[in-house]
Amino acid sequence: MYDYLIVGAGLYGSVCARELTDAGKKVLVIDKRDHIAGNVYTEKVEGINVHKYGAHIFHTNDKRVWDYVQRFATFNRFTNSPVANYKGELYSLPFNMYTFNKMWGVVTPQEAAKKIEEQKAEAGITEPKNLEEQAISLVGRDIYEKLIKGYTEKQWGRDCTDLPAFIIKRLPVRLTFDNNYFNALYQGIPIGGYTKMVANMLEGIEVRTSVDYFANKSELDSEAAKVIYTGPIDAYFDYKLGTLEYRSVRFENELLAQDNFQGNAAVNYTDRETPWTRIIEHKWFEFGKDENGNDLPKTVISREYSSEWKLGDEPYYPVNDEKNGNLYQQYKDLAEKEDKVIFGGRLGEYKYYDMDQVIAAAFNKLAEL
Ligand code: UDP
């Protein structure tokens, strides 16, 4: 008999497993995939840690979370600085003085601020109601048209006028020459990959992979006093109130016999016509070197194609609009009636969580137990 059955060996599940085990509980972790680490899973190909379910860059302002992950990995000094490619024109991201200089030829912060103000005034937006209005208010129409509109419509499969403003607020806007994509105090990539980090978290804990919870639910449930479920909340209830919408991503991975494909970890294709949203060149998360500091002769790239999720696809991004928010609330009400089960993580809470937020959410939940 276990105290806790944890469904899902991603970050949320693994943090819970570690903490509960250290508190003296008996824990079993299961995952339907044949590996641990959920969507932060990395796999070594020709010495390169490939982020198999999309690029993950750890960044946080939460010192407690940062100190915690240090226990399981040493982080390198990677700083995310994606480049935007708009029909062959390259721009720095996030939106900063390099971007404004390239877009408008402005040199000083004052000139950049004036340009943004002019474009915002022209659009006549006082209170942004959606992503388009929010974007124009933040950076003006030119940047919206070239660097945001196409990318966002590909990423979300919806018009920018139908998307919530908060999505774009993830990105900083700065009147300084600073290409760091994040405002976080702490940032980096675990040396040796995320899989190793999660394996360290799960050390000494019973983990069974390739186990489908729903196929064996009553049997598994009967083995544990409590369940922590980190899968999609609507799947738990067999979609009985309807399916929540997710965006899924398809990755086209290629191993290339050249040492440098694009000179950066991430290049975003921000026009509407290019079918992929971005290309990740994984070796640059670790400066093009293996763990011993040797240069890697080959490279692995992943083209990301965003699509609407259908039953059977991998869910990646919750679509946090009003309609889905309401449906989620109904599922949450059902979840609250499941005395034995705790729902958590990006899929369990239907939230666009970053890794550090997932860890903090697990801490908060654990404190309630
Ligand atoms: N975004 C954009 N252009 C870019 C990068 C991002 O318009 O070149 C917008 C887009 O709407 C996206 C959001 O900003 O969904 C958040 O981007 P982020 O890179 O944080 O998304 P993630 O890495 O989680 O996919």
Side-chain angles (χ1 to χ4, degrees), residues 3-7 213 220-221 224-229 236 340-343:
D3 295 305
Y4 286 90
L5 166 70
I6 299 181
V7 181
Y213 176 55
L220 287 161
D221 283 348
K226 288 227 164 224
V227 177
I228 297 180
Y229 171 81
Y236 183 89
K340 197 178 154 174
V341 188
I342 294 152
F343 293 77

Side-chain angles (χ1 to χ4, degrees), residues 202-239:
L202 293 171
E203 205 185 299
I205 298 171
E206 188 178 346
V207 180
R208 296 189 207 151
T209 51
S210 304
V211 172
D212 182 342
Y213 176 55
F214 295 117
N216 309 281
K217 187 167 184 301
S218 48
E219 193 190 323
L220 287 161
D221 283 348
S222 70
E223 286 185 64
K226 288 227 164 224
V227 177
I228 297 180
Y229 171 81
T230 72
I233 187 167
D234 53 347
Y236 183 89
F237 294 104
D238 203 19
Y239 308 102

Side-chain angles (χ1 to χ4, degrees), residues 93 147-148 151-152 155-156 167-168 170-171 181 268 270 278 317 352:
L93 291 174
L147 305 184
I148 298 173
Y151 185 93
T152 299
Q155 166 72 13
W156 295 97
I167 293 178
I168 198 74
R170 287 169 60 83
L171 308 190
Y181 200 61
N268 293 359
T270 57
R278 53 189 168 193
Y317 297 87
Y352 190 179

Side-chain angles (χ1 to χ4, degrees), residues 239-257:
Y239 308 102
K240 68 177 172 195
L241 305 174
T243 49
L244 288 162
E245 292 173 299
Y246 298 90
R247 293 299 287 172
S248 193
V249 188
R250 182 170 63 82
F251 299 96
E252 217 174 70
N253 300 326
E254 247 186 285
L255 172 66
L256 302 174

Side-chain angles (χ1 to χ4, degrees), residues 334-357:
L334 287 181
E336 269 153 22
K337 294 195 193 102
E338 295 279 304
D339 292 338
K340 197 178 154 174
V341 188
I342 294 152
F343 293 77
R346 194 186 257 221
L347 301 173
E349 296 174 61
Y350 196 64
K351 264 208 191 102
Y352 190 179
Y353 273 142
D354 289 331
M355 289 180 280
D356 63 324
Q357 296 169 325

Side-chain angles (χ1 to χ4, degrees), residues 15-52:
V15 169
C16 290
R18 177 77 273 143
E19 292 311 288
L20 290 166
T21 302
D22 290 353
K25 305 292 182 196
K26 192 157 186 267
V27 170
L28 168 65
V29 180
I30 59 167
D31 201 293
K32 69 173 178 184
R33 290 181 177 153
D34 64 0
H35 60 74
I36 58 162
N39 279 3
V40 306
Y41 176 71
T42 49
E43 193 176 277
K44 227 180 203 101
V45 177
E46 301 274 341
I48 301 162
N49 288 305
V50 175
H51 298 216
K52 287 292 265 204

